[in-house]
Amino acid sequence: MIGTRKSGEKAVLVGISYPHQNDREVEEYLSELSFLTKTAGAIPLKSFLQKLDMPNPRTFVGTGKIEEIALFVRENNIDIAIFDDELSPGQLRNIENGLGCRILDRTNLILDIFAGRARTSYARTQVELAQYQYFLPRLAGLWTHLERQRGGIGLRGPGETEIETDRRIIREKIILLKTQLKKIDTQMATQRKNRGKMVRVALVGYTNAGKSTIMNLLSKSEVFAENKLFATLDTTVRKVIIGNLPFLLSDTVGFIRKLPHDLVESFKSTLDEVRESDLLLHVVDVSHPRFEEQISVVEETLKELQSNVTPAIKIFNKIDDFTYTIKEEDDLTPVLKENYSLADLKKTWMASGVNNRTVFISATTRENVEELRKMLYEEVKKIHITRYPYNNYLFETEK
């Protein structure tokens, strides 16, 4: 994978407020785009928002808004403008002509982050394939500004030489990468089969919900974890023993709103860890102001993966940062994390999960982690007993 990145590029963010969205929702979407931008290594200086029924087919936002953004770009020497939706090839060309700086859409931004986070040859191959599939219909506009400016966020990845701009070369590369991935997929499927019939548990959730931290907590391993989006791309599998019960625990790539379809397809084998699991641990960042929507995004993605029927425990993580805002109309006292206890959390709607498989924890402070261990043990034991009916003597000591 070829590419260079300039550190500290100055960026502006651009989004649309649709009629069905409220101000808080729009603000959160731009906040997430800002987090993505910082994760990619750029500095977001200003956000531009326009209320529209639908995106402008030529320039995404209106021509007046383009002129306003262009003025700010010129006056502040902005390197890059990042849009919170996928742009068509025509929109990319028109917007670049209007703003005079490099243009990135949400999909390209996420691809760039994945390219920077990929650590193994398998993950790099997966990301490279997704990048080529994204770039192929956009070659005409993309390579023209590559001639003027090399490197930078969104340009990390396939092809910065003239020969690689040829569509035939790109298509051949896509075929080659798909062939490589098919071979690796076969190898990984064999590896999963070789693990035997041991119960398999997978951590799933919105990106940055704390899956890797919980993985480290349960498996006592050192999986890479940090407060950035997509800290984990490569699936990590660890053998975990709780009490006398062994099982396999896997940490997978986080989901996100508008996750590029090409990435989902490229990471098929990685996501097979989710598809083939016996139990899912759905980790939720309960401190996030729109965690309910994040739950919906994850559940919709699981539905696409046909994993929505797999038994699951919902883990509401980061209760140490939780702020509860829903109050009775006549109650003027703010209900904040300082005066909302774990017992109070268990009385909310969040505790009424399917079969009550819901737990509230803080992986950082380890609050209520023992309850998670006990619940996980009981759920894995049910599966284990069903799979190994003649090994029930393992649990006789509990009686």
Side-chain angles (χ1 to χ4, degrees):
M1 198 167 291
I2 304 168
T4 58
R5 174 194 290 262
K6 297 191 296 183
S7 61
E9 289 181 293
K10 292 187 290 185
V12 293
L13 313 180
V14 185
I16 288 177
S17 174
Y18 297 100
H20 64 276
Q21 295 174 326
N22 57 45
D23 292 342
R24 183 181 173 185
E25 186 178 7
V26 173
E27 182 181 337
E28 282 302 323
Y29 286 169
L30 283 178
S31 176
E32 182 175 88
L33 185 64
S34 176
F35 199 179
L36 284 166
T37 302
K38 292 174 184 175
T39 299
I43 304 169
L45 293 189
K46 185 178 176 63
S47 297
F48 291 88
L49 189 67
Q50 186 172 33
K51 292 185 177 181
L52 291 174
D53 291 340
M54 62 183 64
N56 185 305
R58 294 192 72 258
T59 53
F60 188 70
V61 292
T63 53
K65 181 62 69 174
I66 288 291
E67 291 172 2
E68 179 188 345
I69 299 170
L71 179 62
F72 185 87
V73 166
R74 289 194 299 271
E75 291 178 346
N76 295 274
N77 296 316
I78 297 298
D79 300 293
I80 186 169
I82 302 176
F83 288 70
D84 193 33
D85 273 295
E86 186 167 312
L87 300 174
S88 69
Q91 286 174 325
L92 279 168
R93 288 193 298 272
N94 295 331
I95 295 169
E96 185 186 3
N97 291 334
L99 299 187
C101 68
R102 194 149 36 86
I103 309 302
L104 226 65
D105 61 16
R106 181 185 176 88
T107 297
N108 199 359
L109 178 62
I110 292 175
L111 287 171
D112 185 81
I113 294 171
F114 269 61
R117 297 274 164 171
R119 289 175 172 79
T120 66
S121 59
Y122 181 44
R124 288 194 292 270
T125 303
Q126 290 174 308
V127 177
E128 193 174 1
L129 173 60
Q131 286 182 307
Y132 275 120
Q133 290 173 324
Y134 170 82
F135 288 142
L136 183 59
R138 296 170 172 82
L139 287 179
L142 184 64
W143 305 131
T144 53
H145 68 226
L146 274 175
E147 292 171 2
R148 297 197 303 269
Q149 183 173 9
R150 304 284 176 171
I153 293 168
L155 303 181
R156 173 205 297 269
E160 291 183 0
T161 62
E162 187 173 355
I163 191 171
E164 289 177 326
T165 65
D166 183 84
R167 284 186 171 86
R168 180 180 56 82
I169 299 296
I170 298 294
R171 290 192 184 101
E172 288 176 356
K173 185 68 174 176
I174 287 174
I175 292 171
L176 177 62
L177 289 169
K178 284 184 175 180
T179 302
Q180 291 175 355
L181 279 182
K182 191 173 181 179
K183 290 179 181 177
I184 300 174
D185 289 346
T186 302
Q187 293 171 358
M188 293 186 71
T190 303
Q191 289 176 5
R192 287 193 293 271
K193 288 180 181 177
N194 290 340
R195 293 172 192 161
K197 294 185 177 180
M198 191 176 290
V199 176
R200 289 158 62 180
V201 181
L203 286 154
V204 297
Y206 208 82
T207 181
N208 205 42
K211 298 185 301 301
S212 296
T213 304
I214 293 175
M215 176 77 163
N216 290 336
L217 198 63
L218 294 174
S219 65
K220 298 179 182 178
S221 61
E222 290 300 324
V223 176
F224 182 72
E226 64 173 331
N227 186 34
K228 283 188 176 180
L229 303 179
F230 306 115
T232 302
L233 291 189
D234 297 292
T235 298
T236 305
V237 181
R238 294 285 185 270
K239 183 179 179 180
V240 178
I241 301 176
I242 298 181
N244 57 354
L245 189 57
F247 60 91
L248 294 174
L249 179 65
S250 61
D251 183 19
T252 58
V253 62
F255 302 144
I256 196 171
R257 181 177 60 92
K258 300 178 185 176
L259 187 65
H261 177 73
D262 286 337
L263 269 178
V264 175
E265 286 298 307
S266 297
F267 276 73
K268 176 184 177 298
S269 187
T270 299
L271 295 172
D272 278 343
E273 289 289 347
V274 176
R275 287 189 185 94
E276 298 178 17
S277 292
D278 303 296
L279 177 68
L280 300 179
L281 302 182
H282 180 176
V283 183
V284 179
D285 176 4
V286 74
S287 69
H288 194 280
R290 296 194 66 80
F291 70 85
E292 298 100 327
E293 182 180 339
Q294 293 187 349
I295 291 174
S296 298
V297 169
V298 173
E299 289 178 345
E300 280 301 312
T301 307
L302 290 175
K303 191 174 180 180
E304 289 178 23
L305 297 174
Q306 299 178 338
S307 297
N308 56 314
V309 294
T310 305
I313 296 174
K314 195 164 286 177
I315 303 173
F316 288 95
N317 187 29
K318 304 188 184 182
I319 61 173
D320 53 311
D321 289 332
F322 179 70
T323 301
Y324 194 68
T325 56
I326 301 175
K327 306 182 293 296
E328 296 293 334
E329 290 185 7
D330 57 350
D331 182 5
L332 301 179
T333 305
V335 183
L336 303 173
K337 60 185 177 184
E338 289 80 6
N339 53 16
Y340 217 81
S341 67
L342 180 59
D344 293 326
L345 282 171
K346 291 180 178 180
K347 294 175 184 176
T348 66
W349 65 267
M350 292 177 282
S352 59
V354 179
N355 297 327
N356 237 9
R357 289 191 291 255
T358 306
V359 62
F360 298 87
I361 73 163
S362 168
T364 303
T365 65
R366 303 198 172 192
E367 184 178 359
N368 211 33
V369 168
E370 276 311 304
E371 182 177 338
L372 168 60
R373 289 182 186 275
K374 289 176 183 176
M375 186 178 293
L376 180 54
Y377 177 84
E378 290 300 323
E379 292 301 319
V380 172
K381 185 174 77 170
K382 290 177 188 175
I383 301 167
H384 189 91
I385 290 174
T386 302
R387 188 165 295 171
Y388 303 102
Y390 300 109
N391 288 356
N392 291 348
Y393 68 87
L394 289 172
F395 309 105
E396 290 298 322
T397 54
E398 299 176 15
K399 297 180 180 178

